Amino acid sequence: EDQVTQSPEALRLQEGESSSLNCSYTVSGLRGLFWYRQDPGKGPEFLFTLYSAGEEKEKERLKATLTKKESFLHITAPKPEDSATYLCAVQSRGAGNQFYFGTGTSLTVIP
Amino acid sequence: DSGVTQTPKHLITATGQRVTLRCSPRSGDLSVYWYQQSLDQGLQFLIQYYNGEERAKGNILERFSAQQFPDLHSELNLSSLELGDSALYFCASSAPGGWNEQFFGPGTRLTVL
């Protein structure tokens, strides 16, 4: 069964304290792995797509990496405005290319 | 702004009622996806349409139905509403090709009293 698990559920960081969020997945044929940011009460905002193991993408203080079993979202020197829930999703080759979302990591960056 | 629009933003209704949520995808996108997000729960995939045809079904209740019209906008119909249907409902769209990233709308917050 296709599954996505994110850890930790919640993370509190001091401003400037770098860390990583984890997304572990099992999927019958990976089409792509996607990272989103979601602010409370808002729609998820697309961040990155990763397609194959070894691939890396960067955007400002965020860097996403992918292995055959998991993905990491590294946050370097975070700022309070990075506080949000970060969602990971995988797209399977089966079942109509369906997306499977994890439950997210809630990040709080304290000034 | 993702380019995906949803109306209404908020909807308050009573148990047993029926409501319709509307979504317009980004210009050029042919796929529309519907998701439900309850408090403390992740995004649950409901249904996908591609160019007017149903493409994939997730955990969508029989009381719920959707369709995509020739102008590519989509509607999600929720009937015989229950308290547990209170949630955020999101629509997303993606470009032709089938495995591109999805862009989400701002959501409709449904409250069933």
Side-chain angles (χ1 to χ4, degrees):
Chain A
E1 182 183 314
D2 298 338
Q3 196 168 357
V4 179
T5 304
Q6 291 188 247
S7 62
E9 284 188 21
L11 183 62
R12 288 171 66 89
L13 299 174
Q14 291 289 332
E15 184 172 0
E17 179 187 2
S18 301
S19 188
S20 297
L21 313 182
N22 177 263
C23 171
S24 298
Y25 64 90
T26 54
V27 64
S28 52
L30 179 71
R31 276 198 182 276
L33 185 140
F34 305 84
W35 282 98
Y36 288 83
R37 169 195 170 123
Q38 186 176 25
D39 292 300
K42 303 277 182 71
E45 176 191 342
F46 170 73
L47 294 174
F48 302 110
T49 306
L50 301 166
Y51 290 108
S52 56
E55 192 174 356
E56 299 183 352
K57 294 270 179 76
E58 280 189 74
K59 180 180 177 180
E60 296 180 359
R61 295 177 292 283
L62 301 176
K63 178 179 172 181
T65 61
L66 180 65
T67 72
K68 287 188 177 177
K69 301 262 186 195
E70 58 191 349
S71 176
F72 292 93
L73 185 65
H74 307 278
I75 303 178
T76 302
K79 298 182 177 182
E81 53 262 42
D82 295 322
S83 297
T85 295
Y86 290 85
L87 299 170
C88 166
V90 296
Q91 187 175 31
S92 166
R93 291 184 183 277
N97 301 322
Q98 187 173 323
F99 270 45
Y100 295 90
F101 277 86
T103 52
T105 293
S106 176
L107 174 66
T108 303
V109 181
I110 305 159
Chain B
D1 184 356
S2 67
V4 178
T5 60
Q6 289 187 248
T7 56
K9 290 192 72 149
H10 301 277
L11 204 45
I12 301 174
T13 188
T15 54
Q17 295 298 305
R18 172 190 168 95
V19 297
T20 298
L21 313 183
R22 183 188 168 105
C23 166
S24 292
R26 295 185 317 158
S27 177
D29 286 357
L30 300 181
S31 282
V32 168
Y33 309 78
W34 285 98
Y35 291 87
Q36 179 192 60
Q37 188 175 45
S38 303
L39 272 175
D40 299 325
Q41 289 205 10
L43 282 161
Q44 300 294 315
F45 169 70
L46 296 178
I47 197 163
Q48 177 200 356
Y49 279 83
Y50 179 85
N51 203 21
E53 294 193 3
E54 183 183 302
R55 176 64 69 91
K57 243 178 179 176
N59 299 320
I60 187 166
L61 299 172
E62 284 192 15
R63 300 183 285 109
F64 296 0
S65 65
Q67 60 184 130
Q68 186 178 27
F69 295 87
D71 67 352
L72 300 176
H73 92 271
S74 178
E75 293 182 355
L76 179 67
N77 301 296
L78 314 176
S79 61
S80 302
L81 285 168
E82 302 175 359
L83 295 177
D85 297 327
S86 296
L88 271 167
Y89 290 84
F90 290 106
C91 163
S93 73
S94 66
W99 52 84
N100 295 309
E101 49 272 5
Q102 296 180 13
F103 293 89
F104 283 77
T108 293
R109 182 175 293 280
L110 174 66
T111 302
V112 182
L113 301 175

